[in-house]
Amino acid sequence: MKYGFIFTGTDPNLAVELAPLAEASGWDAFFVWEGIWATDPWATLAAAAMVTERIRLGTMLTPVPRRRPWELAGQTMTVDRLSNGRVILSAGLGVPADVEQRFWIFEEDPGRKVRAELLDEGLELLQPLWRGEPFEYEGEHYHAHRTDTMLPPAIVQEPRITTWVVGVWPRKRSMRRVARYDGWIPNYTPPEADGIDPVLQQRTYTPEIAAEAIAWIRAEREQAGLADAPFDVVQEGTTSGTDAEADAAIVRPWADAGATWWLESDWSVPAKRVARYARDRVRAGPPRV
């Protein structure tokens, strides 16, 4: 089990302060969130890369359908090179307008189907973009003409920047997308539910359901010839940082189910308390099992 801390605040200076503190306190990764009309996460992570040596750096998460893949490729490549290959890209569809209108103040939500198509093509297009070599691409939403000039440097990581993808269990199309990449960020919708309800998910998603989904992913990856490639399973949650035994009891069932990363976050902390909370929780270290 590895452990990451998600900084839920917005101050880039504080984020850059926290990254080396997280490294010194035993965390394995440090994440910032990516919004619309918000602090630039990749500029923040570039600065964090210059003051850390070991810790992984990433977003939680990047709405790939909202981004131009070539610009995202340049940002992630830059941080990957500055950090010597420590970047994690967490990719998802993005928050729909009916859940949070704040994320759609500049454009209309094209709907889940189109966003899913954009996610598939965006992830596919990132692969040759990261190599920094001439290529051509023709998709439904994106195309690229071949060029042999002004090519950017390639990323450090091989074969790509570690890419975790949101997948909705038990929706097989969504989960097959996950199985092609490097990690699963779980969403869950009970079979009887009409749609994806974050509150319902929090109440009904259990380690037992996670174990069932992880077994399915492993079988899918084996069938695709990917069984021997590294693959992460993420679980996000909140622990106290003050009671090691109680914190371990929260994390252990997810580790037993097959999760490989625990991401510590508390999105309920008010903005005026985020700095103190983040410093204290990061300094206390991860909830090791």
Side-chain angles (χ1 to χ4, degrees):
M1 190 66 125
K2 294 182 180 179
Y3 303 88
F5 182 82
I6 303 175
F7 173 53
T8 62
T10 60
D11 182 355
N13 293 292
L14 179 56
V16 176
E17 172 194 329
L18 289 170
L21 178 61
E23 184 170 77
S25 300
W27 298 88
D28 300 295
F30 180 78
F31 297 89
V32 295
W33 62 280
E34 181 162 346
I36 304 298
W37 189 27
T39 300
D40 187 325
W42 297 105
T44 302
L45 293 174
M50 305 309 293
V51 293
T52 56
E53 296 179 356
R54 173 192 60 81
I55 201 167
R56 302 295 298 271
L57 301 167
T59 51
M60 188 52 63
L61 51 74
T62 294
V64 172
R66 308 292 300 275
R67 303 295 311 277
R68 294 183 175 185
W70 45 95
E71 293 179 353
L72 181 59
Q75 290 173 310
T76 50
M77 173 275 291
T78 301
V79 181
D80 198 57
R81 291 183 68 88
L82 289 172
S83 67
N84 194 29
R86 292 185 280 129
V87 168
I88 295 172
L89 172 64
S90 300
L93 293 180
V95 179
D98 59 0
V99 172
E100 178 52 76
Q101 186 60 44
R102 168 62 174 78
F103 287 92
W104 295 97
I105 58 176
F106 300 109
E107 56 186 315
E108 296 298 319
D109 183 353
R112 183 178 183 83
K113 180 179 183 295
V114 172
R115 283 187 283 113
E117 293 170 354
L118 289 166
L119 177 58
D120 283 332
E121 286 193 22
L123 290 172
E124 188 176 272
L125 188 51
L126 282 171
Q127 312 309 305
L129 286 167
W130 278 335
R131 289 193 291 270
E133 300 172 348
F135 75 98
E136 295 178 350
Y137 181 85
E138 194 63 44
E140 182 70 23
H141 299 280
Y142 301 119
H143 67 269
H145 301 297
R146 180 185 176 91
T147 180
D148 299 287
T149 62
M150 299 178 67
L151 298 172
I155 58 170
V156 173
Q157 295 186 66
E158 292 287 349
R160 60 172 162 257
I161 285 175
T162 299
T163 304
W164 296 345
V165 181
V166 173
V168 183
W169 177 256
R171 296 184 178 179
K172 298 302 191 294
R173 182 174 180 178
S174 177
M175 296 300 291
R176 288 192 179 97
R177 178 190 299 121
V178 168
R180 295 197 298 269
Y181 292 95
D182 310 308
W184 177 37
I185 304 170
N187 270 192
Y188 172 63
T189 180
E192 68 278 6
D194 292 333
I196 301 170
D197 182 336
V199 176
L200 181 62
Q201 172 179 296
Q202 192 173 33
R203 189 170 67 246
T204 57
Y205 182 61
T206 65
E208 292 73 24
I209 292 171
E212 177 186 350
I214 292 165
W216 185 92
I217 293 171
R218 287 173 177 164
E220 187 76 8
R221 286 175 62 80
E222 183 173 4
Q223 188 174 0
L226 298 170
D228 295 331
F231 189 82
D232 296 315
V233 177
V234 175
Q235 180 58 38
E236 184 177 338
T238 306
T239 58
S240 68
T242 58
D243 187 332
E245 186 175 345
D247 290 350
I250 293 172
V251 177
R252 187 175 293 110
W254 298 104
D256 292 344
T260 62
W261 278 86
W262 174 265
L263 300 191
E264 184 73 26
S265 68
D266 188 345
W267 297 94
S268 68
V269 176
K272 63 182 180 181
R273 290 184 48 228
V274 162
R276 180 174 180 179
Y277 158 77
R279 289 189 183 101
D280 290 346
R281 187 64 194 86
V282 166
R283 194 177 290 113
R288 297 194 183 280
V289 294

